[in-house]
Amino acid sequence: MTALTGTGVLVRLALRRDRLLLPVWILVIVAIPASTASAIADLYPDVGQRLALGATIMANPALQALTGPVFDAASVGGLTAWRATTFATVLAGLMSVMLVVRHTRAEEESGRAELIGAAPVGRYALPAAAVIVTGLANLLAALLLTAGFAGQGLPPAGSIAFAGAVAGVGWVFTGIAAVTAQLTENARTANALAIAVLGLFFLLRAAGDAAGAEAVSWLSPLGWAQRTRAFADERWWLLAVFAAVAVLLVMAADLLARRRDVGAGLLPSRRGPAAAAASLRSPLALAWRLQRGVLFGWAAAFAVVGAVFGSLAASVGDIVGDNPQIADMLTRLGGAGALVDTFFATQLGLFALVAGGYAVQAVLRPRAEEAGGRAEPVLAGAVFRWRWLGGHLVCALAGSALILAIAGLAAGLAHGLRVGEPATQAMRILGAALAQVPAVWVLAAITALLFGLLPRMTAAAWAFLVAFALLGQLGELLQIDERIRRLSPFAHVPHLPGGAASATPLVWLCLVTGVLIAAGLAGFGRRDLKTD
């Protein structure tokens, strides 16, 4: 028996476990660039319009910080690469991190890796299977991206270069996640470390592009993806760099794995105090202690991104230029005549969808506690089930409202400082951001319902989030019936600022949230605990 014996069986097992999540990830990674190419072709049919947009981009450091420089503004492919590369590569990195940690460190933390190791399975079959599945997922996304671009008439060489850069970033973060999985005993910490690296690379690329400092941008794999120059004199050698770095990282992870036992991490775990502080002696306090680190990270990210978008708002008129199609699109999306207001309404809708990701993650924390066997000792004491789950739900609901408020406040302040009305704009955009909260709460309530009634199907909450995002962002483009698009709770939020404010849909969303949470709490109170 070799160290890789049983890898094929574990690959099939991983594919079966991810048969729902993996297609959703790939669909999103492919759909965003493909829809971007279609939108740019429709909105900028003339070369002159595209060149004017390119000049605006290169003259705006904030835009370059967000999405990078444009290398060929004359072509639809060049503008697509500018607009979609950063988002697609970040998504590929996130998918890779989540998959690798899910099938390595999370398996060790739950004890399943030890059970698998008791069978005739090699020592490194489990991590090898995780790397193979993640690598294949990125390769499949690249193939679909290439086919999607080719189907829209974009040059094959540029399509392959773009798809290769996206897959390359995914492969690099496959290696990064394999390394972080060796460092800590906890899957959440391994995820957090890898995502922190992703955030650092994004900031390096953003700072380098905004300041025109090429050397700084080259420090980031996201910068490498931009400088592959898809649709603009492609640099094919960079694809080999992605592959080489990914292989080196996987080899480093292998060396680290040889220096630890199964279930252990290379970084020592910090011992906690012998007795809990008074502030931890309640289910809500325990939930807050478990949730606060993730919440702080989300809050910091929302503050930064909110400030970036706020600083861009005053430049919307320059970006639109003489293109009446874009002005009309923004006006229709925002439901108001002012371009700045409709820009904020559109961006706050995107913030709400992302905040929905936090809400799902926070509500799924009780499921991780239950599956890890940590919930049972707590509930064996004088703790009611509804109080234990309710503590996590309070953190999820309050946390999602908090990060949206932070994003709105940061965006309003950044915009207000540019137009000379910081207090007025901060309060106005803050109110518009808070109007998105009830829709996010509905998504949290759906997750709570799944946890209470169908604990093994809680991962479907991510599918709800993706479905709502697709209905909201691509529903009109795909000509989906309005009645189906209205199934998304985000479709019932008033388009603020600038639109007609109405409390009625927000009240209804809150009522739906209450009913779903009540059903989830009731279901959890009656079912058995699940540790598998």
Side-chain angles (χ1 to χ4, degrees):
M1 186 175 73
T2 68
L4 296 177
T5 299
T7 300
V9 175
L10 293 178
V11 167
R12 293 194 295 273
L13 175 62
L15 291 174
R16 184 180 185 282
R17 290 183 60 197
D18 290 336
R19 63 188 181 277
L20 296 178
L21 284 179
L22 204 53
V24 170
W25 272 112
I26 295 173
L27 173 64
V28 174
I29 292 171
V30 173
I32 290 177
S35 62
T36 299
S38 176
I40 288 175
D42 291 339
L43 297 172
Y44 296 94
D46 299 329
V47 174
Q49 291 177 330
R50 295 196 288 268
L51 289 173
L53 176 61
T56 300
I57 294 166
M58 298 309 293
N60 193 322
L63 268 177
Q64 293 185 58
L66 186 64
T67 53
V70 59
F71 294 104
D72 181 14
S75 67
V76 171
L79 287 179
T80 300
W82 159 74
R83 185 67 180 84
T85 297
T86 296
F87 293 105
T89 51
V90 167
L91 286 173
L94 286 173
M95 176 188 74
S96 301
V97 169
M98 298 295 184
L99 286 177
V100 171
V101 175
R102 170 178 165 84
H103 293 295
T104 54
R105 175 52 62 182
E107 293 295 273
E108 293 188 44
E109 186 180 2
S110 66
R112 286 189 291 266
E114 191 171 1
L115 292 175
I116 292 173
V121 173
R123 173 77 164 82
Y124 304 114
L126 190 64
V131 170
I132 291 171
V133 168
T134 308
L136 290 176
N138 282 289
L139 180 60
L140 178 58
L143 293 174
L144 293 176
L145 272 172
T146 303
F149 281 159
Q152 297 186 53
L154 296 182
S159 302
I160 294 172
F162 181 96
V166 173
V169 172
W171 290 336
V172 168
F173 277 93
T174 298
I176 290 173
V179 170
T180 61
Q182 313 307 318
L183 300 179
T184 175
E185 295 180 0
N186 187 275
R188 290 172 65 87
T189 306
N191 273 325
L193 289 173
I195 293 173
V197 174
L198 176 59
L200 175 62
F201 283 149
F202 179 87
L203 291 177
L204 286 172
R205 184 213 57 79
D209 290 344
E214 282 283 312
V216 177
S217 297
W218 277 102
L219 296 175
S220 167
L222 303 181
W224 306 347
Q226 290 281 0
R227 281 148 187 81
T228 304
R229 297 174 66 100
F231 305 103
D233 191 18
E234 295 82 6
R235 292 171 171 166
W236 298 105
W237 59 271
L238 272 172
L239 301 184
V241 172
F242 282 119
V245 171
V247 170
L248 289 174
L249 286 168
V250 171
M251 291 174 62
D254 176 66
L255 291 175
L256 294 175
R258 296 173 187 272
R259 297 176 178 270
R260 65 176 184 87
D261 294 328
V262 175
L266 291 175
L267 298 178
S269 298
R270 186 179 64 178
R271 290 183 176 274
S279 59
L280 277 177
R281 293 174 184 172
S282 73
L284 178 58
L286 175 60
W288 165 247
R289 177 64 180 82
L290 295 173
Q291 300 268 9
R292 66 183 184 184
V294 174
L295 177 59
F296 291 158
W298 279 86
F302 267 58
V304 172
V305 177
V308 170
F309 276 107
S311 65
L312 287 174
S315 304
V316 170
D318 296 333
I319 298 172
V320 171
D322 298 325
N323 193 322
Q325 291 176 282
I326 298 183
D328 178 65
M329 181 192 71
L330 284 175
T331 300
R332 286 187 291 105
L333 284 174
L339 284 177
V340 172
D341 283 349
T342 54
F343 173 80
F344 272 123
T346 303
Q347 300 308 321
L348 289 175
L350 293 175
F351 284 164
L353 285 169
V354 178
Y358 164 76
V360 171
Q361 182 185 28
V363 178
L364 288 181
R365 182 58 194 261
R367 176 56 184 157
E369 295 295 299
E370 181 184 11
R374 295 181 294 273
E376 190 170 3
V378 175
L379 295 174
V383 177
F384 292 106
R385 286 193 177 196
W386 67 267
R387 289 191 63 198
W388 178 78
L389 178 57
H392 287 279
L393 293 177
V394 168
C395 289
L397 299 180
S400 56
L402 176 64
I403 61 176
L404 277 173
I406 288 173
L409 193 60
L413 280 173
H415 176 59
L417 289 172
R418 291 198 64 182
V419 300
E421 300 175 345
T424 301
Q425 294 299 326
M427 291 300 101
R428 197 168 70 94
I429 306 304
L430 172 61
L434 291 177
Q436 302 283 341
V437 170
V440 178
W441 283 356
V442 170
L443 187 58
I446 291 173
T447 310
L449 180 67
L450 290 172
F451 174 75
L453 299 180
L454 300 169
R456 294 181 179 175
M457 295 295 294
T458 49
W462 295 108
F464 277 96
L465 174 59
V466 173
F468 293 156
L470 293 178
L471 288 174
Q473 302 303 310
L474 300 178
E476 186 175 357
L477 179 65
L478 299 176
Q479 298 182 340
I480 297 176
D481 188 88
E482 174 68 18
R483 290 170 296 182
I484 297 178
R485 299 207 303 268
R486 300 282 294 177
L487 293 175
S488 169
F490 299 94
H492 299 274
V493 176
H495 290 287
L496 299 174
S502 173
T504 302
L506 303 182
V507 172
W508 277 108
L509 290 174
C510 290
L511 290 175
V512 170
T513 298
V515 170
L516 293 177
I517 286 178
L521 289 171
F524 178 59
R526 295 177 181 177
R527 69 171 176 82
D528 295 331
L529 292 180
K530 307 288 185 181
T531 57
D532 55 352

